[in-house]
Amino acid sequence: MAIADTAATEAQEAEDTDPPWMWEDTYLQVDVGSGYELFPDVTDYEIRIERNLKANYCFNSSGSLELVSLEPMEYRCTARITANLTTEDHFLDELINQTDVKLKLVMPGSKYIEMTGGKFRTVEPTIKPEDLIALRIDYVAKDFDHNF
């Protein structure tokens, strides 16, 4: 099989000249039922939106399994946030009560990722709020939206 010269047919994408987004250019907002407000004292975060794929196989003519497609399944939307929370943060009460909340990552150029129907986990009710410093919080959402 000969390989054709593809230099003339390749799609050339323009080089991205926008500077990359930096940590200080982004921030998290949280809505605990009264509208979005700045998530207090965030020192680190990671947001993951995973598209789970299901592999579909069939038997080929030689009798072995062959991958024929990858079927999109449900999205899995998670966040891991590290924040310095104190007893004066009303957000801490919402966090411990594990109410449904919305979480929004706001980026330059009015871009955002909004996660909705979420719950916080890893906060145990036996922890005293006055002891929480640099708390790592896991968040799992039911859905997400973005404006890219």
Side-chain angles (χ1 to χ4, degrees), residues 85 92-98 120-132 135-138:
L85 299 176
L92 186 57
D93 294 333
E94 299 294 331
L95 179 68
I96 291 173
N97 292 331
Q98 301 211 6
F120 287 100
R121 60 183 188 181
T122 70
V123 174
E124 299 175 14
T126 57
I127 296 175
K128 296 178 187 173
E130 62 267 17
D131 296 337
L132 299 180
L135 175 66
R136 177 163 282 171
I137 308 158
D138 286 337

Side-chain angles (χ1 to χ4, degrees), residues 35-78:
Y36 278 106
E37 59 186 67
L38 188 63
F39 196 109
D41 300 316
V42 173
T43 59
D44 185 35
Y45 67 83
E46 173 185 319
I47 292 180
R48 298 177 67 107
I49 299 174
E50 301 170 2
R51 179 62 166 193
N52 297 321
L53 299 174
K54 176 184 174 188
N56 294 316
Y57 297 93
C58 72
F59 289 101
N60 60 18
S61 59
S62 65
S64 60
L65 284 177
E66 181 179 324
L67 177 67
V68 292
S69 67
L70 293 173
E71 181 181 344
M73 303 300 282
E74 292 183 10
Y75 283 99
R76 178 172 161 79
C77 310
T78 59

Side-chain angles (χ1 to χ4, degrees), residues 23 26-30 36-40 42 44-47 79-82 103-106 113 115:
W23 164 260
T26 65
Y27 57 94
L28 286 176
Q29 291 181 324
V30 63
Y36 278 106
E37 59 186 67
L38 188 63
F39 196 109
V42 173
D44 185 35
Y45 67 83
E46 173 185 319
I47 292 180
R80 175 169 285 170
I81 303 160
T82 304
L103 190 64
K104 184 187 246 184
L105 172 64
V106 181
I113 298 172
M115 299 167 60

Side-chain angles (χ1 to χ4, degrees), residues 11-35:
Q12 298 293 322
E13 186 174 326
E15 185 176 332
D16 187 10
T17 58
D18 293 332
W21 293 328
M22 304 301 287
W23 164 260
E24 60 268 9
D25 297 333
T26 65
Y27 57 94
L28 286 176
Q29 291 181 324
V30 63
D31 181 357
V32 292
S34 57

Side-chain angles (χ1 to χ4, degrees), residues 102-116:
K102 296 179 187 175
L103 190 64
K104 184 187 246 184
L105 172 64
V106 181
M107 298 167 273
S110 300
K111 303 289 185 203
Y112 67 84
I113 298 172
E114 180 181 38
M115 299 167 60
T116 58

Side-chain angles (χ1 to χ4, degrees), residues 1-6:
M1 178 171 151
I3 298 175
D5 182 13
T6 59

